Each structure stands twice: as C-alpha cells, then as structure tokens.
Amino acid sequence: MAIAKMRFACLSLVLLAFLTPLVLAQATRSGGTSETAQLAKLEQQVADAKGSADNAWMLTSSALVLMMTGPGLALFYGGLVRKKNVLSTMMQSFAMMAIITVLWALIGYSFSFGSGGSFIGHLHNIFLRGVGAQPDPDYAATIPQQTFMIYQLMFAIITPALITGAFAERMKFSSMALFMVLWSVLVYDPMAHMVWGKGGLLNAALGGHFPTLDFAGGTVVHITSGVSALVCALYLGRRVGYPKEPMPPHSVVLSFIGACLLWVGWFGFNAGSALASSSLATSAFVATHFAAAAAVLGWSGAEWLRNGKPSVLGAISGAVAGLVAITPAAGFVGPMPALGIGLIAGVACFHMVATVKMRFGYDDSLDAFGVHGAGGTLGAVLTGVFASSAVNPIFKSPQGTPLPSGLLEGNPRQLANQLVGVGVSWALAVVGTLVALKIVDATIGLRVEEEEEVQGLDLSQHGEEGYQWDVPAYDATGD
C-alpha cells in the first residue's frame, strides 16, 4: 500500500513538472495577447483623439476664413468707398459667399483638388462625389476629406472678393457675378491645382516640376487676385471724376473694424493651412502675427516720413499688407524672418499705393493691386529666401534627411522655383481675367451707365441706401 502511494506521488510530480511549463506558457500567451490588444486599443484612442483635435481646429479655421470675407472684407472695403456705394460694395463680398459655394460644390473642388494633370484637376469629384468622412492622406491624413473641402472653399470665396476692390463703384452687379464665375473657373481653380493639387505643376509636396513654396496662398490667392484687379481697373477705366474730384472713404471706422476682423481671421487662413492642430500651426500663427505688426510699423513709418502724420487708414492698410506678404511663408519661416518680411512689405506696399499708383494714374479704387498683387509677389519671392527646413522640412533626401529649403539655407534653386511660380500666377491672372472680361463685356456689358454711377450703385443696382438720414419736419410749437 505504501509502495502504491509512493508510485502515485512520483507520477503526480512527473505530470506536474511536465504540465507546469505548458500552463505557464499558455498564461503568458494569453497575457501577451491581452496586452497587445490593450496597446492597439490605446493607440487607436490616441489616433482618434488627434483626429478629433485636428478636425476641431480645421472647422474653427474654416469659420475664421469665412469671417474674413464677411464681415471682415465687406466692412474693410465698404468703409473705403463713398456712402452711396457702401451697400453695393459689401454685397459683392457677400454674394461671393453664396455664388462660389455653389460653384465649388458642382465643379470647383474637383477642378482644384481632383487628381489630374499638371494644370487642372479631373472630374473625379464633380458634385462632391467621393468627398466624405474618410481622409485623403495625400492632402490631410487626420481629418475628413469633407473638412478639407470646406476649408479650401473659404479660400475660393475670399479670392475673387478681393478683386472687387479694384472696380468698386462702377461695375454692374450682374456683370460682377458672371465675371466671378468665369474667373474662378479660368484662373482660381487651375492655380489652386497647380500649387496644391495632386500632380500640379508647382506642387512642392506632391512632386511638381517646379516645387513652389506657398503655404497658404501667396500665389493662389493674393497674386492672382491682385494682378486680376489691376487688369480690371485698366480695362474698365477710371471712375467718373477720378482723379480730379476727391473720393475719400466715407467711414474709416467701418474699415478699421474690418481690418481687425481680417487680422484675427488670418490666423485661420495661415495657421489653419498646417491642416492639423500641430506645432507647425503654432509656428505659422506666430509668423502671421509678427509680420502684421511689423508691417503696421513699416507702412506707418514711411507715411509719417512722407506726409508728416501716420494715418489710421495707413496703419490698417499696413497690417493687411503684412498679412498678405507672410501668407506664402507662414509655414516655412521663424519669428525673426517674419518680422523682416512684414517690415519690407509695409514699406513697399505703401510706395506702391502712394507713389506708383499716382505716377501711372490707374484707378485701382481700393488698392487691391498695390496691397495684394505687390504684397503677394514680394512675399512669394522672400519665401524662397528665408524658408527654413528647421521650421518645415518639406524637402528630404531618399533616406529621409531634411534638405535645405531657402536661399539663405543653401538652396538657391528654390528662389528660381519661386520666380517660376510668380510668373505662372501673373500670366494666368492676366490672360484669364482678360478672357473673362471680354466674354462679359460682349454679352451683358460691364460698366454701369454714367448717370447710374453718379447716382450711386446702392440705388441703381439694388434700390436701397446704406444710410437713411431722415430729418424731422420743423414744429413751430417746439415739440
């Protein structure tokens, strides 16, 4: 009996020695699987949180950029015209919010950001087909493509609205609407595709033949609108009475408020172009603010030396000039170059408005070319000078090592690429604008009649007045 018990105990020990490693291995495997699943779940939660943060920032930026058109630009331009044209001028900006939105949904987004050739996108995304909740990793990997689409729409809205400053107080509303539709298709959509779209000729991130650095629209938005504004001003001719009759702004107060809204909205314009809630967005935010501040000092200082006084209108114009010039560079330069770009832009744009415009005598009513055309060109060129790989390593070797970005960093070729981008922007703007103007002029005409212009476009085009100065009848009783 004792021997049997001993044999049973020995057999039990053998089985225990054999089974214990198997049990431990299985437990380890089960624990490892659990840990792997937990790690994967944690990584997914982190990715979801980042996606949510990025999406929230991009939707906020979209709203900020829309605010730049209405009320920002509407108030800025509205205050600069005579009071008989305030409503018509503001209505032109407001109309872009409606007209360009519909056009963008139908064909504009597809022409701009659909995969395509070097010059324009194909019709893959016509009527926003395929533009939904899933990200397009080529453009922004952490936000829905629909968010990217709506953000880019806000750029497409404000760009033609900027042109209206050149022909303010003299173009028919119907002509303006038709011209802007044609201009968006002929100029804006191709330029947006060339610089930002897949396969675009000038796209620096997706293999363009001439990689042009344009972080937020120096070429796409400001050069195209500014140069087109000059073409419009020359084609339509001067306003009745210009330059013999004084045509001062009817309310610098409105323009002041509009400029402040533009400054705030520009953070969505530039910092939002990082397409993520990231350190690059912070860098672009800082560069934007610093450039605007330096440009105020540059414009005001130049005006003070020339005229003996710094004007409020000059200060707010300087801020806009600095914001324009830093737009292409915002995501590629640090704070100190941003200050330099802003200061240079403030002085240069002041002389474009105060000297060059007066010398040549063209009637760019609200200085769209002097600020946006000149400022955008200057900013695009200076981007090629000051761009830094430490801020944004957009160019990399096959091994992934950051390469120099700008001239001062040892990449002179980039300055040449910037000049190509500027040249393409100018050429497309001139040709496309002339074609659009010719079509409108030949079909419905461009300019209001002289008596309508003298009366004011508020009444002649919209049957309304911006201000009602009702004076009560005199009461002999004194009541």
Side-chain angles (χ1 to χ4, degrees), residues 11 53 59 86 159 162 168 197 207 216 223 251 255 260 304 326 346 391 470 479:
L11 182 60
L59 292 175
V86 58
T159 306
L162 293 171
I223 293 180
S251 177
S255 297
C260 292
W304 205 334
I326 198 60
V391 175
D470 292 332
D479 294 334

Side-chain angles (χ1 to χ4, degrees), residues 57-80:
W57 168 237
M58 293 312 302
L59 292 175
T60 301
S61 295
S62 300
L64 287 170
V65 180
L66 182 62
M67 185 185 74
M68 291 173 66
T69 304
L73 187 67
L75 285 169
F76 185 70
Y77 276 178
L80 293 177

Side-chain angles (χ1 to χ4, degrees), residues 254-318:
L254 292 184
S255 297
F256 183 92
I257 297 170
C260 292
L261 289 169
L262 285 171
W263 191 329
V264 173
W266 227 289
F267 294 126
F269 202 86
N270 286 358
S273 291
L275 300 175
S277 179
S278 62
S279 59
L280 183 58
T282 300
S283 179
F285 194 112
V286 171
T288 299
H289 188 65
F290 280 26
V296 171
L297 300 183
W299 186 302
S300 296
E303 186 180 39
W304 205 334
L305 289 174
R306 186 176 188 269
N307 301 335
K309 295 178 182 178
S311 69
V312 174
L313 179 57
I316 61 177
S317 298

Side-chain angles (χ1 to χ4, degrees), residues 97-422:
M97 296 166 65
I99 294 171
I100 302 303
T101 294
V102 175
L103 185 64
W104 190 252
L106 297 178
I107 59 173
Y109 178 76
S110 192
F111 281 162
S112 298
F113 291 96
S115 299
S118 297
F119 300 100
I120 196 163
H122 292 163
L123 295 176
H124 305 304
N125 301 120
I126 192 171
F127 306 136
L128 300 183
R129 183 176 57 193
V131 181
Q134 294 303 313
D136 184 333
D138 288 331
Y139 291 134
T142 61
I143 61 173
Q145 189 177 1
Q146 197 169 60
T147 300
F148 176 79
M149 178 277 298
I150 201 71
Y151 178 67
Q152 294 297 338
L153 165 61
M154 304 313 172
F155 285 68
I157 288 171
I158 194 171
T159 306
L162 293 171
I163 304 173
T164 64
F167 55 70
E169 303 190 308
R170 58 195 188 277
M171 185 183 281
K172 295 190 293 187
F173 180 77
S174 58
S175 304
M176 181 278 304
L178 178 57
F179 167 74
M180 291 307 184
V181 169
L182 294 172
W183 186 89
S184 294
V185 174
L186 295 173
V187 179
Y188 184 84
D189 293 345
M191 197 65 210
H193 180 77
M194 281 191 279
V195 175
W196 295 328
K198 299 177 187 178
L201 178 72
L202 307 174
N203 193 310
L206 297 174
H209 294 296
F210 300 97
T212 301
L213 298 179
D214 188 353
F215 192 71
T219 56
V220 179
V221 176
H222 297 296
I223 293 180
T224 58
S225 64
V227 172
S228 297
L230 177 62
V231 174
C232 287
L234 294 174
Y235 190 94
L236 267 73
R238 301 173 179 180
R239 289 167 288 178
V240 174
Y242 182 90
K244 296 180 180 179
E245 295 180 11
M247 299 179 182
H250 89 280
S251 177
V252 178
V253 172
L254 292 184
S255 297
F256 183 92
I257 297 170
C260 292
L261 289 169
L262 285 171
W263 191 329
V264 173
W266 227 289
F267 294 126
F269 202 86
N270 286 358
S273 291
L275 300 175
S277 179
S278 62
S279 59
L280 183 58
T282 300
S283 179
F285 194 112
V286 171
T288 299
H289 188 65
F290 280 26
V296 171
L297 300 183
W299 186 302
S300 296
E303 186 180 39
W304 205 334
L305 289 174
R306 186 176 188 269
N307 301 335
K309 295 178 182 178
S311 69
V312 174
L313 179 57
I316 61 177
S317 298
V320 175
L323 292 165
V324 167
I326 198 60
T327 291
F332 301 111
V333 302
M336 295 303 106
L339 285 174
I341 290 172
L343 185 65
I344 294 169
V347 175
C349 290
F350 166 75
H351 285 292
M352 283 297 301
V353 171
T355 305
V356 175
K357 175 183 171 181
M358 293 299 104
R359 180 171 182 177
F360 289 96
Y362 58 87
D363 187 10
D364 177 7
S365 306
L366 310 182
D367 297 316
F369 173 71
V371 173
H372 296 277
T377 299
L378 181 64
V381 174
L382 291 178
T383 300
V385 175
F386 293 110
S388 169
S389 59
V391 175
N392 188 347
I394 191 168
F395 301 126
K396 295 182 180 179
S397 69
Q399 294 75 32
T401 305
L403 298 174
S405 295
L407 176 65
L408 296 183
E409 205 174 50
N411 182 14
R413 180 179 297 179
Q414 191 54 45
L415 184 58
N417 288 333
Q418 296 301 113
L419 292 173
V420 170
V422 168

